[in-house]
């Protein structure tokens, strides 16, 4: 079985649609990591995450992907809500933390419960 690797543009300013939002590629473990985008040739770096998380088509991976998508688009409140909901359902602490972070980025302030910001 060959592992899937995810890559993302190092500099988002200099990226194409392909690497700007990240892409996945199947590579042999012995193959060297890609350093430039196959399309725009700009620098990319491997995104590290536990292989177990990358289960294609599983609801969990789908949700994670969706959250990531919202985050990339800067839709922090969307990402937060989704992560929050998923955290409730799955009891995943990492998602809970993520939801909090996304809420903060969305402008919510949990330290003071101040919604004026
Ligand atoms: Zn590219």
């Amino acid at each position: 079985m060959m592992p899937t690797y995810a890559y993302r543009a190092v500099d988002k300013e200099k990226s194409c649609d392909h690497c700007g939002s990240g892409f996945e590629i199947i590579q042999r473990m012995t193959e060297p990591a890609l350093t430039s985008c196959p399309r725009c040739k700009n620098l990319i770096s491997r995104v590290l995450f536990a292989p177990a998380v990358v289960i294609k088509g599983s609801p969990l991976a789908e949700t994670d992907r969706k959250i990531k998508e919202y985050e990339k688009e800067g839709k922090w409140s969307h990402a937060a809500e989704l992560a929050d909901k998923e955290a409730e359902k799955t009891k995943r602490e990492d998602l809970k933390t993520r939801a909090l972070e996304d809420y903060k980025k969305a402008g919510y302030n949990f330290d003071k419960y101040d919604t004026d910001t």
Side-chain angles (χ1 to χ4, degrees):
M1 186 194 142
M2 297 216 280
T4 306
Y5 293 104
Y7 289 92
R8 198 164 44 200
V10 173
D11 186 350
K12 243 193 138 176
E13 300 292 308
K14 296 184 216 157
S15 65
C16 65
D17 289 349
H18 190 53
C19 60
S21 53
F23 62 93
E24 286 173 15
I25 189 166
I26 295 169
Q27 284 188 300
R28 284 175 206 282
M29 299 234 274
T30 50
E31 275 181 67
L34 296 180
T35 53
S36 64
C37 174
R39 291 196 193 168
C40 65
K41 308 291 177 202
N42 278 308
L43 275 184
I44 53 172
S45 65
R46 193 183 271 179
V47 186
L48 293 177
F49 49 101
V53 180
V54 197
I55 304 162
K56 284 265 177 188
S58 85
L60 210 63
E62 277 306 302
T63 306
D64 280 3
R65 188 187 301 272
K66 195 83 200 158
I67 295 167
K68 230 193 291 178
E69 226 174 80
Y70 282 141
E71 287 173 348
K72 262 172 219 151
E73 289 166 12
K75 295 176 180 167
W76 301 114
S77 56
H78 284 73
E81 268 169 41
L82 191 59
D84 203 10
K85 219 165 71 184
E86 195 66 14
E88 283 289 308
K89 217 160 60 183
T90 59
K91 307 284 171 215
R92 277 173 59 191
E93 282 300 316
D94 61 321
L95 277 179
K96 214 169 195 169
T97 312
R98 193 155 170 185
L100 272 176
E101 278 168 8
D102 286 344
Y103 273 129
K104 274 183 198 159
K105 284 174 189 155
Y108 294 81
N109 191 333
F110 285 99
D111 300 329
K112 291 187 252 170
Y113 295 99
D114 180 3
T115 49
D116 282 347
T117 46

